[in-house]
Amino acid sequence: MTDLTAATATAAVPGPRAGPWLSFGLRRLGRFAVSLWLLVTMAFLMIQLIPGDPVRAALGLTAPAELVNARRAALGLDHPLWLQYFDYLGGLVRGDFGTSMLSGVPVSQVIGDRLPATLELALPAFAAVIVVAVPLGLLFAVLTRGGRRRGGELAFTSTTVLLAAIPEFLVAVALVAFFAVQLGWFPVAGHEGSGSLVLPVIALALGPASVLSRIVRVETLSVLGNDFIRTARAKRLPARLVYARHALPNALTATLTLGGMMLTGLVAGTVLVENVFAWPGLGSTIAQSILQKDYPLVQGIVLVYGVGVLLVNLAVDVLLAVLDPRSTIREG
């Protein structure tokens, strides 16, 4: 009987690993939900905080009052603020981002048309940052460990600092001037085949890759000085196994924390780069919408960019928990 009771109690209690993971998942989802609510609320208040009448600003000062009033009624802007807010939340739940003030086209349709082009640019840039920065930072950490190759360390640091300091649009202009205009290797602008992807992706990825490679190098140098690395060397493990199995996973844990925050800047960088290359994505659309004062369209695109940043942060948190479960889950 005692054994049966003990077995039942053991079966009723969650396993030692399920509880922390469940708690961690709920905390992360809770933070994501709160951040998403704040983002949606700020996007809604954006139109309310604009001085003057946004409909009049979009249609022009000479637009007839009847047209302005009709557009305000169509957009629901003549309702009380609290009703507009709940209408806005309900619309988002249904996938309705509102209607463009100028064209009358649903904002969700415009976003659906332009989002694939932005992803076509952002995802290869993100992959390029990871593929270039992580091996480069690891390589220079190994080469310059213990103060060796001071010249190589100085060249690496100087180059990455310089590249990280140049704004994306200046990099884009320089790439166009040299590789497109002078050499004629790539299209100057537009969305015409895979060749037109090369220069925008480089312009987007160059700065983040420079910063991330420096972070990887610093974190790897810190990890290489730990006792478990010396133990692994004392066991005469091959160098590639010491770096791949012991150094890299521990270096990536701290790198991802900083790298994740930095890579969210890559999403915002698409706005500038798309305009330089006349890329038909969300970045060029939001810039045009701001100039035309088409605020519902601006509102919808800001939401898409904000959700993208929140998803990147959530993915980094989950990846950190997978790489280092004990410290990440304990810290919450």
Side-chain angles (χ1 to χ4, degrees):
M1 184 65 181
T2 304
D3 293 342
L4 178 60
T5 305
T8 305
T10 303
V13 175
R17 296 177 183 277
W21 275 102
L22 180 60
S23 176
F24 168 80
L26 291 175
R27 284 198 302 270
R28 284 294 182 271
L29 288 177
R31 291 180 190 177
F32 179 82
V34 171
S35 301
L36 184 61
W37 173 74
L38 289 174
L39 173 66
V40 168
T41 303
M42 291 302 296
F44 167 77
L45 292 176
M46 187 175 68
I47 285 186
Q48 312 300 329
L49 295 176
I50 294 172
D53 186 349
V55 179
R56 170 68 71 179
L59 297 180
L61 296 177
T62 59
E66 294 79 11
L67 176 60
V68 174
N69 292 333
R71 186 57 58 89
R72 285 180 57 80
L75 295 171
L77 296 179
D78 55 346
H79 295 160
L81 186 62
W82 65 270
L83 184 57
Q84 292 183 46
Y85 181 63
F86 285 106
D87 284 344
Y88 181 67
L89 294 180
L92 291 181
V93 172
R94 298 190 301 273
D96 180 8
F97 286 70
T99 304
S100 168
M101 284 185 179
L102 295 179
S103 64
V105 176
V107 171
S108 57
Q109 181 179 333
V110 178
I111 292 175
D113 292 341
R114 299 302 183 99
L115 182 59
T118 295
L119 292 178
E120 193 177 355
L121 203 60
L123 294 180
F126 184 85
V129 170
I130 300 299
V131 169
V132 172
V134 173
L136 190 64
L138 183 63
L139 174 66
F140 272 89
V142 174
L143 291 177
T144 60
R145 181 169 60 91
R148 296 178 299 177
R149 297 180 178 87
R150 300 292 298 178
E153 178 184 355
L154 181 62
F156 172 79
T157 304
S158 304
T159 304
T160 52
V161 168
L162 177 64
L163 293 177
I166 303 175
E168 288 96 340
F169 73 93
L170 285 182
V171 174
V173 170
L175 291 173
V176 169
F178 185 70
F179 290 103
V181 177
Q182 290 291 330
L183 300 179
W185 289 356
F186 303 102
V188 174
H191 184 197
E192 300 173 358
S194 57
S196 59
L197 271 172
V198 177
L199 296 184
V201 167
I202 293 175
L204 267 178
L206 202 56
S210 301
V211 176
L212 189 60
S213 64
R214 293 179 60 201
I215 295 173
V216 172
R217 175 180 171 273
V218 170
E219 292 300 329
T220 305
L221 286 175
S222 174
V223 170
L224 290 177
N226 287 335
D227 290 339
F228 64 88
I229 295 294
R230 284 190 285 271
T231 303
R233 293 182 189 279
K235 293 179 179 177
R236 297 187 178 181
L237 287 178
R240 57 183 175 81
L241 292 182
V242 174
Y243 296 132
R245 289 185 180 177
H246 300 282
L248 184 59
N250 287 282
L252 286 182
T253 301
T255 298
L256 281 172
T257 305
L258 300 174
M261 292 187 291
M262 180 204 64
L263 287 176
T264 57
L266 185 147
V267 178
T270 59
V271 176
L272 298 173
V273 172
E274 283 187 9
N275 279 280
V276 172
F277 289 95
W279 192 262
L282 291 179
S284 57
T285 305
I286 194 173
Q288 187 179 7
S289 303
I290 291 173
L291 293 175
Q292 295 175 335
K293 297 181 173 57
D294 195 348
Y295 296 116
L297 193 50
V298 176
Q299 200 177 36
I301 297 176
V302 166
L303 266 183
V304 171
Y305 274 103
V307 171
V309 170
L310 292 179
L311 288 176
V312 168
N313 288 332
L314 181 64
V316 170
D317 285 344
V318 173
L319 193 55
L320 279 173
V322 172
L323 289 174
D324 190 5
R326 287 174 299 178
S327 63
T328 305
I329 292 177
R330 184 175 62 248
E331 292 169 2

